Amino acid sequence: MKNENQISYDPLLGDDDPAPYKVLNHDGDTPLLLICDHASNRVPKKLAKLGLDDTQLGYHIGWDIGAAGVTQYISEKLNSPAVLCNYSRLVIDCNRQPGDPTSIPQVSDGIVVPGNQNLSEEQQVQRTEGVFWPYHHAITEVGAHLWRKGKAPALFSIHSFTPELMSRHEDRPWHVAILWKRDPRLAAPMIEILSRKTGLRVGDNVPYSGWEDAYCIDMHGAAPGLPYCAIEIRQDLINTDDGVREWGEILCDALNEIMQDTSIFDVKHY
């Protein structure tokens, strides 16, 4: 039965558009679920690049540069499943609550996004139904598939950040940062291990905070009582294949060390 209050919309993705998400190593059995919310700068054909050019979509406003490569490296090296969003954060930010003005930004780091101006509710729902909810449903299903094998998995969310935010004239000197809220099981040892690396400047909830930008880790980590954290790697460190491999190795070593303590896999709500 159709709900009279249900919002109607045309499908966002056409037959020639890729799926809204990508799953890597679906049957990996390490109790570690990797997610990458801003893995791609792709835009559905229907949205005509949102009125931007390829150069603009290639900036940090379009995606988390290098994050997808690091996610893939860890997935392969640690035999861990991974779920990556297949569309740009400018289409819809999968790490924001739908309806929040930052969910579909009209301006990002000083760049106006023409295709995001004055959207109707139907157009916004088209994006949540086309990309946002399928991505989150995939995380839930892949996580459940992993959990059914035994241990409750840890959730590790992989992001990158620009060295300089132009609109605020803000320099970001950290090499890497850990975002978390309440549950320290994954975050605290990760900060401690990365801080051992000579010359690394490690941020704790900077330049973004797990108390503020935490939709995914709240939904898929905190709510079910899984150990979790998000990592932010400075983009100039992972914008080459060599950088991706280096940071992939650093994080694989850290995660392997952390997972030696099997008590972190207990379901626990903070």
Side-chain angles (χ1 to χ4, degrees):
M1 181 182 296
K2 184 177 180 181
N3 185 337
E4 293 181 358
N5 296 320
Q6 184 175 344
I7 297 173
S8 61
Y9 61 91
D10 293 326
L12 177 66
L13 304 182
D15 292 339
D16 294 335
D17 286 312
Y21 60 86
K22 179 190 298 184
V23 177
L24 304 177
N25 201 5
H26 179 269
D27 292 322
D29 55 14
T30 299
L32 176 69
L33 176 61
L34 308 172
I35 62 173
C36 190
D37 307 328
H38 306 141
S40 175
N41 63 349
R42 182 181 288 109
V43 175
K45 292 181 180 178
K46 179 176 288 189
L47 299 183
K49 297 184 180 179
L50 296 170
L52 301 173
D53 59 35
D54 290 339
T55 298
Q56 292 169 316
L57 287 172
Y59 292 156
H60 69 93
I61 66 168
W63 58 335
D64 281 359
I65 296 166
V70 173
T71 304
Q72 181 173 345
Y73 188 97
I74 297 172
S75 176
E76 293 174 355
K77 186 74 179 289
L78 296 187
N79 192 29
S80 301
V83 185
L84 299 82
C85 185
N86 242 355
Y87 287 90
S88 173
R89 65 195 304 170
L90 296 177
V91 174
I92 188 163
D93 193 329
C94 287
N95 195 32
R96 297 290 186 275
Q97 174 72 37
D100 185 309
T102 63
S103 169
I104 303 176
Q106 296 187 46
V107 180
S108 184
D109 199 12
I111 296 176
V112 174
V113 184
N116 288 352
Q117 305 300 311
N118 303 313
L119 297 184
S120 67
E121 187 164 10
E122 289 80 3
Q123 290 172 311
Q124 295 178 57
V125 170
Q126 181 188 57
R127 299 196 192 182
T128 58
E129 295 297 322
V131 175
F132 184 93
W133 291 123
Y135 171 66
H136 284 286
H137 183 68
I139 294 173
T140 298
E141 287 302 314
V142 173
H145 179 63
L146 180 59
W147 198 340
R148 291 181 186 118
K149 297 180 181 184
K151 293 177 182 176
L155 180 78
F156 192 54
S157 179
I158 299 170
H159 295 256
S160 68
F161 66 97
T162 180
E164 182 180 8
L165 200 62
M166 300 302 295
S167 61
R168 300 180 190 171
H169 303 287
E170 175 183 286
D171 291 328
R172 274 89 169 272
W174 307 278
H175 298 94
V176 63
I178 303 300
L179 280 57
W180 63 290
K181 179 168 65 176
R182 295 193 182 94
D183 185 347
R185 289 177 292 173
L186 196 57
M190 181 63 72
I191 292 171
E192 191 275 325
I193 291 167
L194 293 178
S195 295
R196 294 181 204 156
K197 298 283 184 183
T198 302
L200 273 191
R201 188 166 182 177
V202 182
D204 183 349
N205 275 330
V206 289
Y208 302 104
S209 171
W211 290 90
E212 298 172 359
D213 302 312
Y215 185 89
C216 284
I217 57 177
D218 277 351
M219 172 179 280
H220 301 290
L226 306 180
Y228 68 85
C229 72
I231 190 166
E232 293 268 2
I233 309 166
R234 208 174 68 200
Q235 288 170 357
D236 59 325
L237 302 177
I238 54 172
N239 61 359
T240 65
D241 290 342
D242 287 344
V244 164
R245 282 192 295 271
E246 179 181 358
W247 274 92
E249 280 296 320
I250 289 171
L251 294 177
C252 283
D253 289 346
L255 289 164
N256 269 327
E257 182 175 339
I258 293 167
M259 289 189 293
Q260 296 305 307
D261 178 5
T262 57
S263 69
I264 71 165
F265 298 108
D266 296 337
V267 172
K268 189 173 181 180
H269 294 87
Y270 285 77

